[in-house]
Amino acid sequence: LDYLAPSAAGQGLMSSTLRTLILDYLIPVLHVHKMYSSAFTQNLASKRVLEICGFREVGTFETVLDEGRGGGVREQWHMEWRTEWMGE
């Protein structure tokens, strides 16, 4: 999951899609118990999607972007999800 058209933003589509992927496929079919993700610190909406789906912020890191993504260094949140956190 990477990008949603601006006209569809704020409708819960990404959260719903990610939650369905986790609950209906990753856990029961692939037996995933831990996942990691990241979001640029300027992108609060992406962080919120991850939080709604149970991810927690565990730190930040800097990443160097290639020229195709604007170049330079940008900070990202490091997010983690674990099955043991479900229901908390």
Side-chain angles (χ1 to χ4, degrees), residues 1 4-5 7-20 49:
L1 302 175
L4 185 64
S7 61
Q11 298 179 38
L13 298 173
M14 290 296 261
S15 299
S16 177
T17 300
L18 180 57
R19 188 172 29 251
T20 298
V49 165

Side-chain angles (χ1 to χ4, degrees), residues 1-4 9-10 14-15 18 37-57 69 74-79:
L1 302 175
D2 186 37
Y3 177 77
L4 185 64
M14 290 296 261
S15 299
L18 180 57
S37 187
S38 62
F40 290 114
T41 55
Q42 302 92 326
N43 191 340
L44 296 175
S46 288
K47 183 183 184 197
R48 185 69 187 130
V49 165
L50 293 168
E51 289 172 336
I52 287 169
C53 293
F55 282 79
R56 297 181 183 179
E57 180 184 341
R69 295 200 67 179
R74 288 179 54 192
E75 188 174 36
Q76 293 189 48
W77 287 295
H78 177 66
M79 308 290 287

Side-chain angles (χ1 to χ4, degrees), residues 22 26-27 31-35 81-88:
I22 291 169
L26 296 177
I27 294 172
H31 308 289
V32 171
H33 298 283
K34 186 186 293 187
M35 291 182 281
W81 177 94
R82 296 180 184 192
T83 53
E84 62 205 49
W85 295 340
M86 292 178 66
E88 289 184 10

